């Protein structure tokens, strides 16, 4: 795979531009190490303007934006990196993390698989991102998916149980109302019969 020319290649030039970029990058890294994240972000953004094709600068920008809490900006930087260098394992790994944290498990798994492919194509790059580490993230996603499915099934079962309970209670209330109504009707009939009988015997004794 043909690599894009980045800051590292520019450093080799003898026109003076390399020293400017080197100094700016050192300032950005120092600011990041000292915890001055805002300053580091600004310096890295200057570097990406000076060297828009440098994948490592874009990845470092993504890292510092993550530290700044700008997950959207970080994702944008890593996506720009893979647009330039499609098999960049580190960028794809970070994209996978971003999607996973956002709850987009399918997108995250696809990104992780691309990270594995990138690592297999360039095993010597980004030693901190190993295939086993990436596969571990994929297992986490699969486990989370199973947990989510189990939770969904549990909720469905609970909803069905509650619905059945409500239906039973409604049926019991209806049956009680019917029994009460029948009882009232029977009592009224008995009263009517009793009154009729009383009137009948009254007339008999009267005569």
């Amino acid at each position: 795979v043909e690599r894009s020319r980045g800051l590292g290649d520019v450093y080799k030039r003898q026109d003076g531009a390399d020293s400017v970029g080197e100094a700016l990058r050192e300032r950005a890294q120092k600011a990041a190490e000292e915890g001055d994240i805002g300053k580091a972000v600004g310096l890295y953004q200057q570097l990406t303007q000076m060297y828009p094709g440098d994948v490592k600068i874009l990845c470092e920008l993504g890292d510092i934006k993550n530290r700044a809490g700008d997950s959207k900006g970080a994702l944008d930087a890593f996506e720009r990196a893979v647009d330039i260098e499609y098999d960049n394992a580190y960028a794809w790994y970070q994209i996978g993390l971003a999607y996973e944290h956002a709850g987009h498990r399918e997108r995250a798994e696809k990104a992780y698989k691309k990270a594995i492919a990138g690592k297999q194509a360039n095993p010597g790059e980004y030693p901190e991102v190993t295939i086993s580490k990436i596969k571990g993230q994929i297992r986490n996603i699969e486990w989370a998916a199973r947990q989510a499915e189990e939770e969904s099934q549990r909720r469905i079962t609970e909803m069905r149980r509650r619905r059945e309970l409500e239906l039973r209670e409604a049926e019991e209330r209806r049956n009680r109302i019917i029994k009460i109504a029948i009882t009232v009707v029977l009592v009224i009939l008995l009263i009517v019969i009793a009154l009729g009988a009383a009137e009948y015997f009254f007339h008999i004794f009267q005569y």
Side-chain angles (χ1 to χ4, degrees):
V1 177
E2 183 180 353
R3 296 288 175 176
S4 60
R5 294 183 71 244
L7 186 56
D9 297 314
V10 175
Y11 288 163
K12 299 175 183 178
R13 290 162 46 192
Q14 301 300 318
D15 57 5
D18 50 326
S19 61
V20 174
E22 176 71 27
L24 192 61
R25 188 177 192 182
E26 288 177 356
R27 286 174 58 199
Q29 291 173 338
K30 184 178 180 182
E33 290 171 0
E34 293 176 348
D36 194 345
I37 305 303
K39 180 179 179 180
V41 169
L43 292 171
Y44 273 115
Q45 286 176 333
Q46 290 182 46
L47 281 166
T48 58
Q49 291 173 1
M50 293 170 62
Y51 311 103
D54 193 305
V55 173
K56 288 186 178 180
I57 292 294
L58 286 169
C59 287
E60 289 175 11
L61 174 63
D63 287 337
I64 203 67
K65 279 186 173 289
N66 268 332
R67 288 181 61 185
D70 182 7
S71 56
K72 186 176 183 300
L75 179 60
D76 177 68
F78 291 121
E79 287 181 336
R80 286 165 61 191
V82 296
D83 283 341
I84 297 168
E85 187 178 290
Y86 188 77
D87 59 351
N88 188 288
Y90 183 81
W92 278 120
Y93 179 72
Q94 293 297 330
I95 290 170
L97 287 176
Y99 281 139
E100 184 177 354
H101 292 160
H104 302 305
R105 287 191 292 269
E106 290 185 5
R107 291 183 180 181
E109 186 171 358
K110 288 179 181 178
Y112 287 140
K113 288 180 178 179
K114 290 176 181 178
I116 291 175
K119 192 66 180 178
Q120 291 171 336
N122 305 285
E125 294 190 358
Y126 302 102
E128 69 273 24
V129 179
T130 62
I131 289 179
S132 61
K133 185 177 182 179
I134 302 169
K135 287 183 177 180
Q137 292 301 131
I138 293 176
R139 285 194 296 272
N140 288 343
I141 289 176
E142 292 172 346
W143 178 84
R146 287 194 299 272
Q147 290 295 106
E149 179 64 23
E150 290 174 3
E151 178 64 16
S152 176
Q153 290 299 323
R154 188 192 67 79
R155 289 181 179 179
I156 291 172
T157 301
E158 180 64 17
M159 288 175 62
R160 287 175 178 172
R161 188 190 68 79
R162 289 182 180 179
R163 180 59 178 165
E164 290 173 357
L165 181 60
E166 290 173 356
L167 290 173
R168 282 199 303 271
E169 290 176 347
E171 181 68 20
E172 289 173 359
R173 285 194 298 270
R174 186 165 53 251
N175 290 337
R176 284 197 297 270
I177 291 171
I178 292 172
K179 287 179 181 179
I180 292 171
I182 292 172
T183 301
V184 169
V185 170
L186 289 175
V187 169
I188 292 172
L189 287 173
L190 288 173
I191 292 172
V192 170
I193 292 171
L195 290 174
E199 184 178 1
Y200 172 76
F201 286 113
F202 175 76
H203 287 301
I204 290 176
F205 289 127
Q206 193 175 27
Y207 291 108

